[in-house]
Amino acid sequence: MTTSDKLLLTIIMALITFVPATAQYKLVWADEFDYDGAPDPNVWQPEKGFVRNHEDQWYQGENAYCKGGYLIIEAKKERIKNPNYKPGSNNWKESREYAEYTSASIITRGRKSFRYGRCEMRAKIDTRQGLWPAFWTLGEKGEWPDNGEIDIMEFYRGMLLANLAWGSNERYKPVWNTNRKLISTFNDPGWSSRFHIWRMDWDENSIKIYVDDTLMASQEQSKAVNAKNKDITPFKQPHYLLLGMALGGDNGGDLSGTDFPARFEVDYVRVYQKQ
């Protein structure tokens, strides 16, 4: 082998050795939101009405729209009559005659799901009191929480959260891996005014969640097994995506001092698979 051949081999081996981790992945799907109007109906469907967590908002599709290269989920203070209202009902979805706020949650259930890989979102979130933006996934099979929940990004009451949930021995009672980080600990007064990248790396062995390359949560697959419903594998099945901004409810907090509208702005959502 000549000296030049050895040099060439050394360069090739160095390139192989220092290939970045992202080169392991291939982009398999993305929504760049580079169109105007409603989110792509072939991918996203809007949730409607009062949905979960005793939240204050009425979900409606018109509060999610694409403009200027972004998906905008806009929460408004406006009164909407509840068509499901029943005087005297003990069901929170029926006991309120009106919703005082509107917002949107769009999901890919039945249209787009994936198992394993890297899921990434670049977004800017409003971190004022009472707001509850989230980017999360749910498993296709099984009732909650046996189907598995992954909260890639969740915010309320000054905290970023990255959580995972699966089934316990009791129906509808999850086992949580909950991780919180106060926005104030970033020591960046302008943090909420900028875009950030949330990422989930997920394979058959573990799930890791990051914000701007800072690890927020880690979960070993071997320890995330439903205690009772073992026929459902919460994190070894396909999951679909949810993007939305809730208001108030069980965790969001007091909305009375917050001015509206409020926006959750998403630059893109991308899904990669290992080659």
Side-chain angles (χ1 to χ4, degrees):
M1 184 179 289
T2 66
T3 301
S4 60
D5 288 336
K6 288 181 180 179
L7 179 59
L8 179 60
L9 180 60
T10 300
I11 293 171
I12 291 172
M13 293 304 295
L15 289 171
I16 292 172
T17 302
F18 293 105
V19 168
T22 52
Q24 300 175 22
Y25 291 94
K26 179 181 179 181
L27 182 67
V28 296
W29 174 80
D31 198 334
E32 304 289 334
F33 305 111
D34 53 357
Y35 51 90
D36 288 347
D40 184 355
N42 295 311
V43 177
W44 306 99
Q45 60 177 323
E47 296 193 280
K48 298 178 182 179
F50 294 130
V51 179
R52 61 181 71 86
N53 300 322
H54 305 97
E55 294 159 3
D56 289 52
Q57 81 288 333
W58 182 266
Y59 278 142
Q60 55 185 20
E62 50 264 48
N63 288 57
Y65 56 92
C66 301
K67 185 176 182 180
Y70 299 100
L71 165 68
I72 299 170
I73 295 176
E74 189 169 46
K76 301 178 181 179
K77 183 172 175 57
E78 58 180 345
R79 173 171 278 200
I80 296 290
K81 188 170 180 61
N82 178 9
N84 302 312
Y85 173 62
K86 295 180 182 178
S89 174
N90 291 322
N91 183 333
W92 73 276
K93 296 180 181 180
E94 300 172 343
S95 61
R96 293 187 253 184
E97 186 174 2
Y98 296 94
E100 302 298 335
Y101 301 89
T102 63
S103 188
S105 172
I106 57 174
I107 68 177
T108 68
R109 182 174 55 203
R111 288 167 167 79
K112 184 69 65 176
S113 61
F114 69 98
R115 185 180 75 148
Y116 305 151
R118 170 171 289 175
C119 184
E120 191 173 271
M121 173 187 73
R122 183 175 185 264
K124 179 171 65 173
I125 63 172
D126 193 326
T127 58
R128 290 177 295 156
Q129 179 68 23
L131 307 180
W132 189 354
F135 173 45
W136 50 305
T137 78
L138 288 171
E140 288 185 331
K141 295 181 180 179
E143 64 182 14
W144 187 86
D146 295 338
N147 60 338
E149 174 179 332
I150 307 171
D151 301 324
I152 303 171
M153 184 282 293
E154 186 176 13
F155 168 86
Y156 55 74
R157 301 189 188 211
M159 298 179 294
L160 273 186
L161 298 96
N163 312 313
L164 300 98
W166 58 94
S168 68
N169 279 310
E170 186 177 340
R171 191 181 187 190
Y172 303 134
K173 185 175 182 180
V175 177
W176 283 104
N177 173 353
T178 299
N179 303 270
R180 299 179 174 92
K181 184 176 178 64
L182 288 168
I183 294 290
S184 59
T185 63
F186 287 113
N187 295 317
D188 179 1
W191 192 94
S192 300
S193 66
R194 286 189 279 275
F195 282 83
H196 302 276
I197 295 176
W198 282 268
R199 185 179 92 238
M200 173 178 66
D201 290 346
W202 172 27
D203 61 26
E204 65 273 15
N205 298 312
S206 68
I207 301 169
K208 293 180 171 65
I209 300 171
Y210 302 83
V211 58
D212 296 332
D213 293 324
T214 296
L215 182 65
M216 287 284 292
S218 180
Q219 178 62 54
E220 295 178 28
Q221 285 270 26
S222 60
K223 297 180 180 178
V225 178
N226 290 329
K228 185 176 182 180
N229 190 357
K230 297 185 183 298
D231 292 334
I232 300 295
T233 55
F235 305 119
K236 293 189 176 184
Q237 64 161 321
H239 276 226
Y240 60 90
L241 305 173
L242 303 92
L243 268 171
M245 182 154 62
L247 305 172
D250 294 340
N251 293 319
D254 182 18
L255 289 160
S256 62
T258 300
D259 293 329
F260 286 84
R263 289 182 171 186
F264 173 14
E265 300 179 49
V266 183
D267 186 15
Y268 60 74
V269 175
R270 298 172 181 168
V271 176
Y272 303 80
Q273 299 284 348
K274 285 189 176 181
Q275 299 183 59

